[in-house]
Structure formats: structure tokens, C-alpha cells
Amino acid sequence: MRTVLAIDVGGSQYRLALISKKGEITFHHRGKTQREQGAIWLIPRLIEEIEQIKSSGYNPLAIGVGFGGPVNYKAQQILASLHAPGWDQNNLSEILSAHFNLPVTIDNDGNVGALGEYHFGAGQGVKNMLYYTVSTGVGGGVILNGESWRGHHSQGAELGHLPVVFNGPICTCGYRGCVESICSGLSIARQALEAVENTQIPTSLRAILNKTGDLTAKDVFSCYYEGDKVAQQIIDYVKRVFVSGLIGAINLFDPEAIVIGGGVGLAPGFVDGLTEQVNEQIMIPGRRQIPCVRGTLGDNSVLFGAAKLAWNSLGME
Ligand SMILES: [Zn+2]
């Protein structure tokens, strides 16, 4: 079967998969990144893994990469990583292309995840779609008229960096009150730590903090499911802020559908009620019904989108 090689480079892990044009995965491998060593460790590792794949008899026709950080798509250059060193102005695409003599296409993982859900997942059948990946951070992707929209400098579609709370918490981008600064996994964990410090209300979060020495978004969600009042306040606030971001984005793009993925976005309860809240509050209520739905590709959306980039590079749309 003819396949392309899809690569997903995240902050803590990387993944490789061989994917057919129809979206069948014929090979998959996942590894942990050495975060402190960044690009210097990962690039030779990727080359070694691709060589192993080829020596096992696979011959991918092209490579597509979804990278966890800003990418200049036109120049095919990584601009930076917010997680690991060595990626500033990095030419991973050129390095892999020269080494394997294959077409290589790279884009930011928010855009790539959107492309994955659009072609193979929850976005099938729509033409205009917004995609959020809510995990450690909040990434975004915008599909307009069936194409990825990236903006003039390839740095648009950052739906997680729409400011929604004036003078809110400082964000990873340097601004304040962005969707990411309240709704990301790291931000949820920070709010939980602050809440435990400041509240008199009994909460299981305090017991978890005392036991493990830290709190994660996962802890907040597990307490939320058990009816913990403090966890419920946090998640309710996170969802209200997320709805503000959605309304801002809907007013800009007027999409047909919103697809939400990522570890936090796919957590049970996160997407529940969003469609109703958003559609009650957007301009001219009642005229539009924009569904806010869970992505259907789970944590494979970037791999599928990277495969689509690679197939596109072969002119096989
Ligand atoms: Zn921001």
C-alpha cells in the first residue's frame, strides 16, 4: 500500500506513522523527547527512526510534519518552540528532505490538527471550520473555504491567544488574559493551586496536593466529576472564558462548525453545553446554530493532518 510518513513533534513526545491516502495507519511509533536537549537530540533521533522504517521495507512517498510551535509555512521554517531549545529558525524540513530525498512539508500543529479533523475526522463535510486543541497550551487552526488559513506571516489562526480577560493572567505569548492563560491544562493547574491556597471550602484538591506535592488539570477534572465544589468553580470559569473566546472567533470567521480536541478539550464534560452557551450568546441569536463538537481523531489529529500535508505535496489532493 502506498503511504506517506506523518510526524507529530510535541513538547514531551514525538510520533511517527505511515498513513495511506484514505487514512489507514500501517505503522505507528511513539517516543519521548529529551526536553532539555531539544532539537540537537530529536533531529538525529528522527533520522534514525526514519532509516529504520525504510530498512523494514517501507517506502513512504513524502513526509508531513506537525510541529508544536510557530512555523513560517511559506519559508518552511520552524520559528521557535515554547517547550524545548534549539528550534529557533530551524530547517527540519530541509534537513529531512535532503537526507531522504523526499518532499517534506511542515506546519504548526494547530493548523495540522485542524487539517486532520477537517479531512478525516469531525470536520468532514463542512467547508469553514475552527479547530481548538486544548491541552498543555491552547492551539488553533482555521479552515476557510476548504483551505488552511494561516495569515500573512503564517502566524494567524492562534485561537488560543485571543485576549478575553482584560488585565488577566500573563500568557505564554507575553500578553495578558488570552484564552490559553485561563483554559490550558497548565492554567487550570495554576488556578487549582491558587484556589487551594485561598479557599476555606473543603476540597479534595487539598488532599491531592498534600499527597503528591502538585496539582494537574487531570486532578481538577477528576474532582470535578466527583462533584467537588472548588473544582466545579474552576471548570465552570474555564468554560465561561472559553465560550468568550469562541464567540470572538465566531464573530470573526462565521464558521459552520467548531471542532475541539486535545487532552483537556476531550476530557468528559469540557465540550458539554458549549454549543448551547455559544448559540444563545452570539450576535443575532436564533439565526445560526454553530455546533461545537469533540474531535473524533483523539490524539491522532496531528498525524492525520501531517499525512494530508504530505499527500498534498505530491499533488494528490
Ligand atoms: Zn497569549
Side-chain angles (χ1 to χ4, degrees):
M1 187 190 295
R2 296 197 306 173
T3 57
V4 293
L5 177 65
I7 306 177
D8 174 3
V9 179
S12 56
Q13 64 167 354
Y14 65 92
R15 297 168 67 194
L16 298 100
L18 291 167
I19 301 181
S20 75
K21 201 179 165 196
K22 282 187 178 162
E24 295 128 313
I25 298 183
T26 57
F27 166 89
H28 175 254
H29 174 75
R30 183 192 300 260
K32 279 200 176 325
T33 59
Q34 300 281 319
R35 199 184 282 235
E36 310 74 39
Q37 296 183 57
I40 290 177
W41 183 84
L42 189 61
I43 293 174
R45 182 79 202 142
L46 288 175
I47 289 174
E48 205 181 305
E49 298 228 8
I50 299 166
E51 276 169 353
Q52 274 173 24
I53 289 169
K54 287 179 73 94
S55 66
S56 306
Y58 294 113
N59 278 306
L61 302 172
I63 299 174
V65 186
F67 182 78
V71 170
N72 183 335
Y73 180 78
K74 275 183 215 153
Q76 280 295 291
Q77 190 179 52
I78 293 168
L79 295 172
S81 162
L82 302 177
H83 309 287
W87 292 108
D88 291 7
Q89 316 299 321
N90 186 285
N91 291 314
L92 175 65
S93 170
E94 209 178 297
I95 294 166
L96 294 181
S97 178
H99 195 96
F100 294 103
N101 194 26
L102 287 173
V104 181
T105 315
I106 190 165
D107 200 357
N108 162 268
D109 61 357
N111 297 340
V112 175
L115 201 63
E117 286 290 350
Y118 176 70
H119 282 283
F120 297 105
Q124 289 178 84
V126 304
K127 280 272 169 225
N128 296 284
M129 182 193 109
L130 304 183
Y131 173 71
Y132 285 80
T133 169
V134 189
S135 57
T136 315
V138 180
V142 173
I143 305 280
L144 293 182
N145 295 321
E147 303 273 340
S148 289
W149 178 87
R150 302 178 178 87
H152 182 72
H153 305 92
S154 304
Q155 289 177 66
E158 289 289 357
L159 301 174
H161 295 285
L162 237 70
V164 279
V165 178
F166 178 68
N167 234 0
I170 198 133
C171 185
T172 52
C173 70
Y175 200 61
R176 281 182 179 276
C178 299
V179 172
E180 174 164 309
S181 75
I182 289 144
C183 305
S184 73
L186 287 177
S187 306
I188 292 171
R190 187 200 65 236
Q191 289 166 85
L193 287 167
E194 287 167 3
V196 168
E197 202 170 301
N198 298 319
T199 187
Q200 302 301 321
I201 304 170
T203 168
S204 314
L205 291 167
R206 194 182 308 278
I208 297 171
L209 177 62
N210 290 340
K211 196 173 158 196
T212 65
D214 203 7
L215 287 173
T216 63
K218 224 177 188 164
D219 298 328
V220 182
F221 274 98
S222 62
C223 293
Y224 169 74
Y225 303 139
E226 285 164 17
D228 184 281
K229 283 222 155 47
V230 173
Q232 280 184 337
Q233 279 173 6
I234 295 168
I235 299 300
D236 287 349
Y237 177 64
V238 163
K239 286 178 68 170
R240 279 206 305 278
V241 169
F242 195 72
V243 164
S244 295
L246 286 175
I247 289 173
I250 287 169
N251 286 340
L252 279 175
F253 294 108
D254 185 23
E256 283 171 86
I258 313 261
V259 178
I260 297 163
V264 172
L266 293 172
F270 188 88
V271 171
D272 297 353
L274 287 184
T275 301
E276 293 73 19
Q277 285 184 50
V278 163
N279 288 289
E280 272 165 24
Q281 296 178 71
I282 47 175
M283 279 198 296
I284 324 176
R287 295 263 180 95
R288 286 181 289 185
Q289 279 297 318
I290 300 169
C292 304
V293 300
R294 290 158 63 96
T296 54
L297 301 178
D299 60 358
N300 285 335
S301 56
V302 174
L303 284 178
F304 278 105
K308 183 64 186 159
L309 277 183
W311 283 111
N312 287 353
S313 73
L314 296 165
M316 303 167 90
E317 304 236 355

